């Protein structure tokens, strides 16, 4: 059902790449880590941080801050590339 990729009119099926293309539609927004709030997750593998959006990448979000969960090493001053800017993480208890 798939043509070989060498065919000039080859187009990958949308069900494979549709979610990836939709995610990138808004573009990447840069945010600077203001404060590391703590670790969360069942084994502490996720770090909760407060981020402030940078004016260069998102003028409409400039000065706005969110709490996000980050997997992997992160420290204050790091810059995160966020694909999604609407969701905010629940605060640690």
């Amino acid at each position: 059902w798939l043509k070989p990729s060498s065919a000039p009119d080859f187009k990958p099926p949308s069900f494979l790449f549709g979610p990836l293309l939709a995610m990138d539609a808004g573009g990447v927004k840069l945010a600077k880590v203001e404060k590391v709030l703590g670790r969360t997750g069942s084994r502490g593998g996720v770090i909760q941080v407060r981020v402030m959006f940078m004016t260069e990448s998102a003028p409409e979000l400039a000065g706005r801050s969110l709490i996000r969960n980050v997997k992997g090493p992160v420290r204050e001053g790091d810059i995160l590339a966020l694909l999604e800017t609407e969701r905010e993480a629940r605060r640690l208890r």
Side-chain angles (χ1 to χ4, degrees), residues 74-89:
V74 66
R75 60 183 171 199
E76 290 182 23
D78 284 355
I79 296 175
L80 304 178
L82 302 176
L83 295 175
E84 194 277 324
T85 59
E86 297 297 318
R87 283 184 294 179
E88 185 166 9

Side-chain angles (χ1 to χ4, degrees), residues 31-40 45-53 64-82 87-92:
K32 186 173 184 178
V33 176
E34 288 185 323
K35 185 176 181 183
V36 175
L37 302 174
R39 289 189 170 265
T40 185
V46 178
I47 301 171
Q48 199 163 69
V49 298
R50 177 175 296 280
V51 298
M52 176 80 72
F53 288 100
R64 183 174 167 213
S65 68
L66 285 177
I67 293 178
R68 296 297 298 253
N69 292 329
V70 179
K71 187 167 174 72
V74 66
R75 60 183 171 199
E76 290 182 23
D78 284 355
I79 296 175
L80 304 178
L82 302 176
R87 283 184 294 179
E88 185 166 9
R90 287 183 286 214
R91 286 168 180 74
L92 291 169

